[in-house]
Amino acid sequence: MKDDSQNNTAVPSDPTDNLLGYHIRRVSVIMMAELVKALQPLELRPAEATVLIEIEANPGITQSDIGKILNIKRANMAPLVAGLIERGCVRSSRRDGRSLALRLTKEGRRITRDARDAVLELEERFFGQLSTEDREQMTRNLRNLWQEN
Amino acid sequence: MKDDSQNNTAVPSDPTDNLLGYHIRRVSVIMMAELVKALQPLELRPAEATVLIEIEANPGITQSDIGKILNIKRANMAPLVAGLIERGCVRSSRRDGRSLALRLTKEGRRITRDARDAVLELEERFFGQLSTEDREQMTRNLRNLWQEN
DNA sequence: TATTGTTATACTCTATAACTATA
DNA sequence: TATAGTTATAGAGTATAACAATA
């Protein structure tokens, strides 16, 4: 009944319909655009917000370790962190002669709380329609996929 | 037993662990990089391959309609299609004074077949570890998410 | 020798604006 | 007036290379 191999209606065929990768990409693009908008009032970009949240959860973490965790290159971490320091959100101290340990300032904690609220609100708005089971299963599967590849 | 709210081990906490959006993003980035590599031998970029596959499935489709379906702006479709025509993969004919109807050439059909093979091979390599049920459920959920947002 | 941080820079992708021609 | 296509261009994100300082 659902066989449309001899489909002669005017409905255009959609060769991407069964490609999981295609749908991941489309969701990712829309979601990132929404995230940019959600963080705009805080004057934070997604990478900056994620770095702040990572520092908050791991005070004293090294700049290079954050880059490794979040897959941000050293060369791109430098100006990003410099901006956060200049804005008074982060302070850095020498861990040894090379590494910089990062911590949030009071202002940094405030803006990080707002950023996390914005992220969680977007998560709910975007994925709230999914059942808890579907959501947990997708989270588990996707986490495994990127951590293994 | 699994409560680590009083965790005092050296394992760094991971504030992104439960964020579905974060995992979608990480998977998307890795997957797109793999797709770029998989299409490199054909000298196609992901957008070009997707456009070819769309034309193959809908011969005579309009350049602007492809852009609408794949979310590619007119201004970016123009040089993309021009390149495919110059390479002898696509031919365009006037549908009316404004619109261009696109079709694959013989060479275009060959390279499109190779591109689709590469895409499907990557899908299997990347998502093959998922159970059929999980894969279908993710596909369904993600398709709904981007088509509704 | 390898690692950390920094700077400069190039490349890709995507977005906007302006224009022509046609519906 | 709105749509289709084109061109030029700007911006964001990410990549590489080279360098200094330190382990």
Side-chain angles (χ1 to χ4, degrees), chain B residues 71-123:
Chain B
N71 197 30
I72 303 174
K73 296 242 177 305
R74 274 179 308 154
N76 299 323
M77 279 296 291
L80 192 161
V81 170
L84 293 174
I85 291 173
E86 194 182 14
R87 284 176 59 175
C89 297
V90 170
R91 61 192 164 88
S92 71
S93 54
R94 287 279 161 198
R95 165 164 290 190
D96 59 37
R98 292 179 299 186
S99 303
L100 292 176
L102 303 180
R103 286 184 170 74
L104 297 183
T105 63
K106 184 167 185 179
E107 162 69 2
R109 279 190 291 276
R110 190 193 59 72
I111 199 171
T112 301
R113 176 165 24 87
D114 291 349
R116 196 182 40 247
D117 286 351
V119 168
L120 293 176
E121 191 180 339
L122 175 59
E123 280 266 317

Side-chain angles (χ1 to χ4, degrees), chain A residues 3-137:
Chain A
D3 180 2
D4 60 355
S5 59
Q6 297 191 345
N7 188 334
N8 52 8
T9 68
V11 178
S13 80
D14 186 351
T16 66
D17 203 48
N18 291 314
L19 297 177
L20 178 48
Y22 180 78
H23 299 300
I24 290 176
R25 168 71 173 162
R26 291 298 294 261
V27 168
S28 178
V29 168
I30 296 175
M31 185 193 63
M32 289 303 291
E34 294 288 313
L35 182 58
V36 166
K37 278 194 281 183
L39 294 172
Q40 210 114 52
L42 305 175
E43 293 180 281
L44 287 176
R45 287 166 297 176
E48 293 172 327
T50 315
V51 165
L52 287 176
I53 290 170
E54 202 66 49
I55 296 173
E56 184 191 47
N58 300 285
I61 192 174
T62 273
Q63 180 170 319
S64 69
D65 281 343
I66 293 181
K68 284 167 193 159
I69 292 172
L70 299 179
N71 197 29
I72 303 175
K73 296 245 176 303
R74 275 179 306 153
N76 300 323
M77 280 296 290
L80 192 160
V81 170
L84 294 175
I85 291 174
E86 193 182 14
R87 284 176 58 174
C89 296
V90 170
R91 61 192 164 86
S92 71
S93 55
R94 286 280 160 198
R95 164 165 288 192
D96 60 37
R98 292 179 300 187
S99 302
L100 291 177
L102 304 180
R103 286 183 170 77
L104 297 184
T105 63
K106 185 167 185 178
E107 163 69 2
R109 280 190 291 277
R110 189 193 59 72
I111 200 172
T112 301
R113 178 165 23 86
D114 291 349
R116 196 183 40 248
D117 287 351
V119 168
L120 293 176
E121 190 180 340
L122 176 58
E123 281 265 317
E124 282 317 305
R125 182 161 58 80
F126 212 84
F127 302 116
Q129 62 176 96
L130 299 176
S131 73
T132 306
E133 303 77 48
D134 283 12
R135 203 163 154 181
E136 287 175 353
Q137 189 213 56

